[in-house]
């Protein structure tokens, strides 16, 4: 069925995102949840054709080059309240485990398949016990960067799936992997990353404990707890830019 020619679906999404996130003081109340539900419904409907994006073929290059980044980004729009764009991952590419400090997010696959691994950070005051050992062993200063977290979920999403949602407290850390070929997803973050306002992107590595006693205890409680260590941006990951070919979004 043809879309309303007067207002594109992506324009409707942009307007609804603004309504949803423009008043931070209302985040979490009924009005916010109602508007978030409306945004989720619109995101469920959108497809690659609505953004004039054609699915990419499997890439021939096996090694990423400076002019051939593993991930690219199409900027659609950005306000103080939210940003919206499309991430495109080449076959076998990943967006490493990272966080979204104090941010909400909504991700909808446009084509292909992604695997999303989500973590929740536990109490920031949780410190690693002095007798906990890791493989390989950590240096003393590295132990100060550890954060106890819960592996919340691992799921695969396609264009037929509903949006993947993150909040400041739930599924806020995630890794995104392209599965079985190239993939792309529409991404909304609210508010946008802003290092000057405490919203910088941090990368993490999942550590393996040399002792499995803590893991057994966590499994007995029905959840898997892990230690995450903050690391620099991985050297094999970088994100290039490319033009967005779809309908203009005016906010």
């Amino acid at each position: 069925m043809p879309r309303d020619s007067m207002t594109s679906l992506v324009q409707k999404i942009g307007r609804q995102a603004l309504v949803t996130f423009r008043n931070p003081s209302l985040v979490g109340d009924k009005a916010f949840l109602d508007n978030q539900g409306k945004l989720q419904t619109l995101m469920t409907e959108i497809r690659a054709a609505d953004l004039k994006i054609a699915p990419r073929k499997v890439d021939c290059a096996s090694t990423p080059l400076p002019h051939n980044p593993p991930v690219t980004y199409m900027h659609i729009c950005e306000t103080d309240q939210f940003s919206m764009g499309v991430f495109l991952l080449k076959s076998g590419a990943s967006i490493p485990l990272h966080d979204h400090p104090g941010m909400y997010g909504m991700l909808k696959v446009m084509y292909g398949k992604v695997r999303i691994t989500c973590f929740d950070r536990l109490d920031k005051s949780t410190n690693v016990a002095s007798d906990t050992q890791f493989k390989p062993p950590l240096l003393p200063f590295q132990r100060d960067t550890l954060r106890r977290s819960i592996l919340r979920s691992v799921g695969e999403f396609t264009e037929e799936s509903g949006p993947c949602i993150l909040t400041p407290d739930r599924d806020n850390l995630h890794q995104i992997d392209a599965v079985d070929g190239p993939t792309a997803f529409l991404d909304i973050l609210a508010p946008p990353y802003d290092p000057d306002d405490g919203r910088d992107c941090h990368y993490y590595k999942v550590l393996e404990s040399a002792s499995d006693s803590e893991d057994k205890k966590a499994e007995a409680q029905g959840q898997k707890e892990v230690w995450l260590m903050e690391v620099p941006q991985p050297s094999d990951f970088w994100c290039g830019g490319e033009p967005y070919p779809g309908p203009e979004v005016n906010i």
Side-chain angles (χ1 to χ4, degrees):
M1 191 176 216
R3 305 288 187 196
D4 179 355
S5 60
M6 298 299 293
T7 305
S8 68
L9 181 53
V10 68
Q11 174 71 61
K12 293 178 182 178
I13 289 173
R15 289 177 179 172
Q16 185 59 44
L18 182 63
V19 170
T20 302
F21 298 113
R22 66 185 169 188
N23 191 341
S25 65
L26 295 180
V27 167
D29 73 1
K30 184 179 184 302
F32 168 79
L33 295 176
D34 288 345
N35 281 315
Q36 187 183 46
K38 293 176 183 178
L39 179 60
Q40 185 175 351
T41 297
L42 291 171
M43 288 281 281
T44 300
E45 296 176 6
I46 199 162
R47 295 293 185 271
D50 295 304
L51 304 179
K52 298 184 178 179
I53 295 175
R56 305 287 170 88
K57 297 181 179 180
V58 176
D59 314 284
C60 297
S62 58
T63 303
L65 302 171
H67 60 278
N68 187 29
V71 178
T72 55
Y73 181 74
M74 294 178 174
H75 172 81
I76 297 179
C77 67
E78 182 170 327
T79 71
D80 290 341
Q81 290 75 35
F82 77 97
S83 62
M84 179 164 62
V86 179
F87 283 95
L88 302 97
L89 282 66
K90 297 185 184 300
S91 181
S94 295
I95 300 179
L97 180 59
H98 62 285
D99 63 0
H100 311 79
M103 300 157 67
Y104 288 80
M106 200 171 289
L107 177 165
K108 174 64 174 65
V109 175
M110 296 291 95
Y111 65 79
K113 182 190 296 184
V114 299
R115 180 186 302 109
I116 305 178
T117 305
C118 297
F119 295 83
D120 288 352
R121 185 182 287 117
L122 295 178
D123 188 344
K124 292 182 179 180
S125 65
T126 304
N127 295 318
V128 57
S130 59
D131 60 348
T132 301
Q133 300 300 318
F134 297 94
K135 297 185 295 187
L138 300 180
L139 297 174
F141 76 90
Q142 291 177 311
R143 300 177 74 89
D144 295 334
T145 69
L146 301 186
R147 296 291 181 269
R148 195 66 171 163
S149 303
I150 295 176
L151 174 58
R152 177 66 66 184
S153 64
V154 180
E156 294 188 347
F157 297 79
T158 70
E159 63 179 324
E160 300 301 325
S161 306
C164 177
I165 299 173
L166 64 86
T167 76
D169 302 313
R170 190 174 181 90
D171 297 334
N172 191 266
L173 294 87
H174 63 204
Q175 175 170 318
I176 303 172
D177 304 304
V179 179
D180 299 332
T183 186
F185 58 86
L186 179 64
D187 190 61
I188 293 176
L189 291 176
Y193 281 114
D194 183 355
D196 294 333
D197 201 23
R199 296 189 303 278
D200 201 0
C201 183
H202 309 92
Y203 295 92
Y204 296 88
K205 176 182 178 181
V206 180
L207 297 184
E208 180 180 354
S209 173
S211 170
D212 62 358
S213 59
E214 289 179 310
D215 291 337
K216 288 181 179 179
K217 180 181 178 181
E219 290 173 5
Q221 297 173 346
Q223 60 188 15
K224 179 164 178 60
E225 295 188 6
V226 297
W227 287 103
L228 301 182
M229 181 173 70
E230 185 175 344
V231 296
Q233 178 175 319
S235 60
D236 59 352
F237 169 73
W238 71 102
C239 186
E242 59 179 291
Y244 164 63
E248 185 177 358
V249 175
N250 297 305
I251 303 298

